[in-house]
Amino acid sequence: MKKVILTFILMLMFFALPAITLEESIELAKENNKELLAEKSAFKSADWSKKNALTNFLPKASFNSTMIRIDDDTYDLATGMQEIPVLGSTGMPTGDYIPFSTAAMGTGFYKTTYTNDISIQQSIFNGGKVILGYQLAKLAKKQAYLALQSKEKDVSYAIASTYFGILKLQDLQTLSQKSLESTLSHLESVQKNYEVGTAKKSDVLQWQVKQKNDETALSEIGNNIDELYGFWQILLGAEEAEKPSEIDVTEYDSETLQYAVMEKSELEKAAEEFLTEVEKTSPTIQTMELAEKMMEKNYCMAKGEFLPSLNLQFSYQFESDDEFDFDGEDNWNLVAAFSVPIFTSGTNYSNLKKSKYDLKKTKYETEFAQENYMVTAKNVFYKLITKARTVEDNKTALEFAQENHKIVNELYTQGMVTNTELMDAEAMLFGSEMNLVASYYDYILLKYEIKKYTN
């Protein structure tokens, strides 16, 4: 009994929390969920990678400053006076010598030389690497965006699963509490009858056993709610999340009935329309297709290894003297570098072959994954139909259980049925109620699972 009281207190504390709708909880998770924040960061990183790839089309300019200092012996040797023999008209030395010094010639030979210049580099063509690199970065950004969409769907489904899981357990908790109250009422009645000799001791024991079972079930449901609520807080990224708002499951009656009465031809048409939408809008399918496109770009880059390259470089030197004052003789040069790969020891050829088979591998894997994904999507759709029919079947079962319980209860008061038969009727009634509640939430949750397959 203490467990029941404790569970009841926990229920009151839980219901006292402010409520939040499913849509509000999903928006809250988009702001705080750590998995989603990680995917958003990955998307921003891919966006900057694309911008970085774009810069490869633009020229690169740099300022270069160097200082060169030679050792004393080399400097003295280079600047010392040397005698150069004078040659006559016949080409023979005349015996005269001309003094010569590098420093005296003003050739700019300094012990310490400062050189400053600006250089500009521009890539013209490099086998298509620049263009293909940008295209790959663009596809990678789109892939990151689709990954973000998929993660949002996964988190939304996880939130919906937990949200409806809590509501489902709350409804089952209410039914369990109702079952326990009914059990206690019957136990009290049987005990009074036993005291006056109109009931057997075994009848009392049966109801006492059922009481313990009901108390245990109620306690387990309460523990499960606490566990789900802890997971719920993590999903929302909140220290203390609000409780889910209650919903009226009977609002889905028209949908479940519509699915339940569908003919086979109608179901096949609806399934075909759903799968067509999945093929067109599913982020997962689009991600698979992007992976194949990216491998095709890699294959093209491998082909580009056989093509020539052309690059330009312009340099303007505005100082080269013994003082760092940006005041010296200037000069400029323009370099056009044209390179044609002739023999690379088979590196480009082996890379081409590797890229070719990587592309084939990706195509086979993508086709296999898409086929499995579409089968899974189809199964989920038909599972939704099954859950809708289960709801309708459980409605009928509950009506039968209620009628049976009413009849058995009247017969029991007249002493025409046994205590065991009454307990069976009670178990059937509350079991049918719980089955109906569970089937409602199973159907609702599948509706949200189907949203993972379309955009």
Side-chain angles (χ1 to χ4, degrees):
M1 195 66 183
K2 290 181 179 179
K3 288 184 179 179
V4 178
I5 296 174
L6 180 61
T7 301
F8 184 70
I9 292 173
L10 291 173
M11 287 172 57
L12 291 177
M13 292 174 62
F14 183 81
F15 288 125
L17 292 172
I20 184 173
T21 65
L22 178 59
E23 290 72 20
E24 290 172 341
S25 61
I26 291 175
E27 290 301 319
L28 181 61
K30 287 181 178 179
E31 297 176 1
N32 302 315
N33 185 271
K34 292 181 175 60
E35 284 187 301
L36 277 179
L37 293 176
E39 287 295 339
K40 287 179 181 178
S41 297
F43 172 69
K44 290 180 180 179
S45 175
D47 182 44
W48 281 106
S49 294
K50 177 189 172 185
K51 293 174 181 176
N52 179 268
L54 182 62
T55 62
N56 292 328
F57 291 96
L58 306 176
K60 305 291 189 297
S62 61
F63 168 74
N64 308 299
S65 181
T66 60
M67 182 191 76
I68 301 176
R69 183 177 177 84
I70 63 176
D71 63 274
D72 294 339
D73 292 340
T74 303
Y75 180 74
D76 292 341
L77 180 63
T79 58
M81 296 298 294
Q82 300 178 16
E83 293 181 344
I84 300 177
V86 178
L87 301 178
S89 59
T90 61
M92 299 298 292
T94 62
D96 296 326
Y97 295 90
I98 300 174
F100 172 78
S101 171
T102 304
M105 291 294 292
T107 56
F109 188 84
Y110 309 110
K111 190 171 187 178
T112 302
T113 303
Y114 298 94
T115 303
N116 295 294
D117 65 68
I118 292 177
S119 62
I120 301 175
Q121 297 175 334
Q122 176 64 59
S123 174
I124 304 300
F125 181 74
N126 283 288
K129 292 180 181 178
V130 175
I131 297 174
L132 291 170
Y134 176 74
Q135 292 174 345
L136 275 171
K138 188 176 180 180
L139 292 174
K141 178 185 175 182
K142 187 175 181 180
Q143 192 177 50
Y145 176 71
L146 291 173
L148 175 59
Q149 281 189 318
S150 295
K151 180 57 68 176
E152 285 181 348
K153 288 180 178 295
D154 290 340
V155 171
S156 297
Y157 175 71
I159 289 173
S161 177
T162 310
Y163 185 96
F164 293 122
I166 293 174
L167 293 181
K168 175 182 175 179
L169 287 174
Q170 286 177 2
D171 287 351
L172 294 179
Q173 191 177 50
T174 301
L175 291 174
S176 294
Q177 183 66 34
K178 181 181 174 182
S179 175
L180 177 59
E181 291 172 357
S182 176
T183 298
L184 293 174
S185 176
H186 284 298
L187 176 59
E188 183 180 2
S189 176
V190 169
Q191 283 178 331
K192 289 180 179 179
N193 292 338
Y194 172 70
E195 291 171 359
V196 298
T198 58
K200 296 178 292 184
K201 179 64 175 177
S202 60
D203 294 342
V204 177
L205 293 174
Q206 286 177 341
W207 285 109
Q208 286 177 336
V209 170
K210 189 173 186 304
Q211 175 193 354
K212 292 299 180 182
N213 291 336
D214 288 349
E215 289 174 352
T216 301
L218 190 60
S219 177
E220 288 179 353
I221 292 174
N223 292 335
N224 290 336
I225 290 177
D226 291 339
E227 291 177 6
L228 271 184
Y229 188 69
F231 184 57
W232 169 254
Q233 288 178 305
I234 295 174
L235 282 173
L236 296 186
E239 294 183 359
E240 186 173 352
E242 300 172 338
K243 70 170 186 177
S245 297
E246 295 182 0
I247 62 171
D248 183 7
V249 294
T250 59
E251 292 180 356
Y252 295 88
D253 283 344
S254 60
E255 290 183 21
T256 57
L257 181 60
Q258 179 184 1
Y259 283 130
V261 299
M262 271 188 174
E263 298 293 336
K264 183 178 179 180
S265 58
E266 294 177 309
L267 285 176
E268 290 176 350
K269 182 180 179 182
E272 185 177 346
E273 291 175 352
F274 169 69
L275 293 177
T276 300
E277 185 179 2
V278 171
E279 287 181 340
K280 291 180 179 179
T281 65
S282 170
T284 303
I285 294 290
Q286 293 178 28
T287 300
M288 295 177 188
E289 293 173 349
L290 273 179
E292 186 173 338
K293 288 181 180 179
M294 293 176 75
M295 291 306 300
E296 289 175 351
K297 297 297 180 183
N298 283 328
Y299 183 50
C300 290
M301 289 185 72
K303 291 180 179 179
E305 296 289 341
F306 294 88
L307 301 177
S309 62
L310 175 62
N311 297 282
L312 298 180
Q313 177 171 317
F314 171 79
S315 297
Y316 175 69
Q317 180 180 289
F318 49 84
E319 180 181 41
S320 181
D321 54 28
D322 60 343
E323 294 184 4
F324 191 82
D325 55 6
F326 299 100
D327 184 18
E329 295 183 359
D330 60 342
N331 63 80
W332 63 269
N333 63 75
L334 176 65
V335 178
F338 182 75
S339 175
V340 180
I342 297 176
F343 179 68
T344 60
S345 300
T347 302
N348 50 2
Y349 181 76
S350 59
N351 283 335
L352 178 64
K353 285 295 185 180
K354 179 181 180 299
S355 299
K356 177 181 178 180
Y357 286 105
D358 284 343
L359 176 58
K360 285 186 175 182
K361 174 177 175 287
T362 302
K363 284 184 176 180
Y364 290 136
E365 288 178 343
T366 300
E367 290 174 2
F368 179 76
Q370 286 178 343
E371 290 170 0
N372 279 278
Y373 186 80
M374 295 304 295
V375 170
T376 304
K378 184 177 181 180
N379 290 340
V380 171
F381 178 79
Y382 278 107
K383 191 183 293 184
L384 179 70
I385 306 301
T386 302
K387 292 299 181 182
R389 289 174 175 172
T390 302
V391 170
E392 296 302 314
D393 292 342
N394 285 337
K395 287 180 187 177
T396 304
L398 178 58
E399 292 175 0
F400 293 156
Q402 288 172 335
E403 183 65 22
N404 177 68
H405 181 268
K406 180 180 178 182
I407 294 172
V408 172
N409 200 44
E410 290 176 353
L411 293 175
Y412 180 77
T413 57
Q414 298 171 15
M416 298 179 67
V417 296
T418 64
N419 183 69
T420 302
E421 290 175 305
L422 176 60
M423 293 184 69
D424 290 342
E426 285 259 328
M428 182 183 295
L429 175 61
F430 288 109
S432 298
E433 289 179 338
M434 290 184 175
N435 287 339
L436 178 58
V437 168
S439 62
Y440 267 121
Y441 284 106
D442 289 344
Y443 170 78
I444 296 170
L445 186 57
L446 263 176
K447 281 179 63 69
Y448 279 87
E449 184 176 356
I450 277 184
K451 291 182 179 181
K452 291 171 60 176
Y453 293 89
T454 56
N455 194 1

